Every structure is written in C-alpha cells, then in structure tokens.
Amino acid sequence: MNLFRRSLLHAAGWVLKGTDLTLSSPQGWHVTGTGQTWAKVQVGDMTQLQITTAWSAIRLIAETVGTLPLHLYRTTLKGRERAKDDDRYELVRSQPCDYMTAPEWKEAMVVSIATMGQAYNLVTKFESTGRILSIQPVVKSRVQPEVLRDGSLIYWLTDRHGKRVPYKRADIMPVRGFGGVGELEGYAPHRIHSNSMGLSVALEKYAAEFFGSGGQPLGVITTKADFGEQSREQIRAGFSRYLRSSREKGEHPVFDGETDYKPISTPNNESQFIEARKLQIAEIARIYRVPLHMLMEMDKASYSNTEQANKHFLDYTLLAYLNRIEAALDSCLLTALERRQGMYFEFDVNGLLRGDSTQRADYYQKLRVAGAITQNEIRTRENLPLIDDADDLHVPLNMAPSDLLRSHFDNPKGGS
C-alpha cells in the first residue's frame, strides 16, 4: 500500500503533522475545515491565524503567558518557598524538552488552546523511578481521547510512523480549553464562529480584489449594436484587456461609437466598508476576549494607566489560561500525596502588574509602613542587590497593638 505523504495532505486541508497515513491505518484523517460559511468562504484551523486581528489576539495572549515565570512551590511552616531542589522546577522554569525553552513551550500550549480548544503534552519518565525527563507539546490532531467500557479514559497518540499508542492522562497532560458538558476537548473558535471569521476573510478578499483591479467597480457595457453570444464574449474579453492596459499606462479609456460603461457595484462609502471592517475587529476581540485597545484599535481606549489595563487583561483574559495550565500541571506532574502536602505550580504575575515607577514606589511605601515587607524584599522585586541589615520589619512609633491601648485607657495612671 502506497503512503500518502503529509505534505500532499496538508495542501488539501488535512492536518496530521509528522505522520504518514495509510488506508489500513485511518487515524489522523481529520478534516480541519468547517465547510462553506454564509460568506461563501472556507474556514479552517489556520484561517484564524490568517486574519490579522485574530493573529494579533492569539499572539498577544500566547506571548504574554510565555513571558510569565512558572514556578513549583512547596508549603512550609513559614509559608511557601520555591522547590528549587526538585527536578520538575527547572523543567517548567527553563527548558521542558531538548528543542524548546520554557517560553516557547508555554506559547505553544496557549496557541493550541486558543485556536483548537485543546493542548496535549507528552510526559516522558524513567520507568524505574518515575522521574520526569521531558515535557513536549503534541499536535492536537495526533491525539484522540476515548472512554473505555469500564469508564476509564485513555488517549491514543499516533506516532510518526502511523502507529497508535495508548497513554494515560498523566502521561499526555491534556489542557482543555473552554468547552461543554461531556466534551473531552474544548471548543475550537473557528468551528463555533466560522461565519464571523468567514465575513472577515470575505471583507479582506473584497478589498484586495477591488484595489487589485485599480479601484474600479464592476459595470455594464451598453451599446446599440446587435451581436451574438460569441461576439459578446469577445467584446467583454477585449474590453477588460483595454481597461487593464489603460490603468497600467495611466491613460484614460475611450469608447467607440455609442458604447457606454455604467458601474453597478455599490460604492464603498454607501456599503459602509470601513465601518464593517472595524466591526469585525470588535467581533474577533469578543471571540478571544481581548481588549480592543490591545489590538491597536484605540477609538474606545478608556484606561487611565498601564496597571489598570494590564489587570483587566489579566483578570478577564489570561487567568482562564493560567489556571487551566496550573491545574493540568498539578494533576499530571504531582502525585496525590505531594498535592496534599502543599506542592503546586503557579505563574508569577507580579511583573504584569508592576505599573510605572510612581505607582510601584507608592505601593512599596504603604507595605513598608504597615510592616509587611522589608527593604531587601523591595530590592529583590526591583532586581537590586541585597544589602546588610535590611531584613527587619519596621512600624511607625505612634502605633501600638489594640489590646495595649485598651489597657492604657482603662488604667490611665497604671493603677489597679
């Protein structure tokens, strides 16, 4: 049986990267398109990346998550501390696998979740000790979840040779995007919102064709001469060549006899073309829940400072991704005993909420006056070297515990 190479299938709209498919092994024969949309445009999983607004939204989310440090924490009697002595700490913080750094790995996961509603990561371990060696992302189309008759769940991974290999959940680390009840995978935006994305593509296609034709609308050639069908086709072809040649030479076209040309396309200002394109920017922003001003649409920007804008973006866009990834890491990379003992993964979002220098100074001063932070802790957050004798907590001299003040007022002279 001849093998159909991935490169040939990709051109036809099939996606199974790094895999050869045969007729006897049909896994991975997966059509990524959603069919014809109302705008008569085909929409597939790569379409959203070809729409500039969607590209900007997906890239913004993925690259922001990629820049956030990810740490493994351990709970102690004095609070929490980073588990730097654990091998998994360095994996998620620096390099989860041989060919990816941590920012690239986090970006890949978020792009998969944002575009296809699901992300998978193959977790490689030592069989004898269970120590994790690497965490590498897997293309979603290569993984197929299945619920067995006994209710257990396995994940079939199609390797590069077309062989299906079953994995347990902890070994494939699924990160599910937004989805419905009973769904093992999240919803893909291009499937749920194919018509909205199709309209964006149609608007861009119309603009490209309009300006590609020299900005000339379609029209009707009228004349009093009589001619047959063959002559009509010859006249239309010749007239199109004549108009194109006139535009290229920068010359005005001249018509023979009583021939007239009447445009029939609706002018762009009457069809509100610019307004429609702006509306599609807002539509795409709603799909990915990204503030409009972060997509370079500044007409309705209303944030007074960077910290406020970043907090809104963090609360209503990023937290959903961060919490899903953290929960997946906790459930798949940590044992039940380790979770009960207080180990967990968490993104550090302080850098995203730093604000400007004035805001940070005011924030540190209030913490310092309240006795909640030391000078060295402030210097650490500002990436400054530590200094001696700067690890004490200070409080104002005119403050005292409430119980001490009560006893003072009850016994103003110190008597019994």
Side-chain angles (χ1 to χ4, degrees), residues 395-415:
V395 295
L397 291 176
N398 61 346
M399 297 178 64
S402 58
D403 56 347
L404 182 61
L405 291 175
R406 186 183 302 277
S407 64
H408 173 75
F409 286 115
D410 290 343
N411 302 289
K413 297 181 179 181

Side-chain angles (χ1 to χ4, degrees), residues 63 70 167 204 311 391:
E63 290 184 339
L70 176 60
Y167 285 93
E204 188 168 356
K311 189 176 187 309
D391 293 313

Side-chain angles (χ1 to χ4, degrees), residues 351-371:
L352 191 63
L353 301 177
R354 282 174 60 88
D356 55 37
S357 57
T358 302
Q359 294 168 342
R360 296 201 309 275
D362 182 62
Y363 172 70
Y364 292 145
Q365 182 183 11
K366 290 179 179 178
L367 289 179
R368 180 70 172 150
V369 171

Side-chain angles (χ1 to χ4, degrees), residues 37 39-44 46-52 194-209 273 277 280 284:
T37 61
K40 298 181 180 180
V41 174
Q42 292 285 347
V43 173
M46 291 299 294
T47 303
Q48 51 198 321
L49 296 177
Q50 296 167 356
I51 301 172
T52 55
S194 59
N195 288 309
S196 179
M197 292 184 180
L199 179 57
S200 295
V201 175
L203 285 169
E204 188 168 356
K205 182 174 181 289
Y206 166 79
E209 292 177 346
F273 174 72
R277 294 212 69 181
Q280 283 311 109
I284 297 297

Side-chain angles (χ1 to χ4, degrees), residues 265-316:
S265 294
T266 303
N268 289 333
N269 59 338
E270 293 184 13
S271 61
Q272 295 183 325
F273 174 72
I274 300 299
E275 289 78 2
R277 294 212 69 181
K278 282 193 173 184
L279 177 61
Q280 283 311 109
I281 296 177
E283 286 288 282
I284 297 297
R286 292 186 188 101
I287 293 174
Y288 298 100
R289 296 184 58 181
V290 173
L292 269 176
H293 72 278
M294 289 189 169
L295 299 177
M296 304 299 111
E297 180 58 52
M298 306 301 294
D299 289 352
K300 298 181 180 180
S302 59
Y303 293 101
S304 59
N305 57 62
T306 302
E307 185 180 17
Q308 182 184 3
N310 286 348
K311 189 176 187 309
H312 184 276
F313 180 52
L314 173 64
D315 290 343
Y316 300 106

Side-chain angles (χ1 to χ4, degrees), residues 9 12-16 21 26 28-35 42-45 140-141 190-191:
L9 295 174
W14 304 80
V15 173
L16 185 59
L21 306 177
W29 289 81
H30 173 61
V31 179
T32 60
T34 60
Q42 292 285 347
V43 173
D45 58 352
K140 175 184 174 294
S141 59
H190 73 280
R191 294 185 178 278

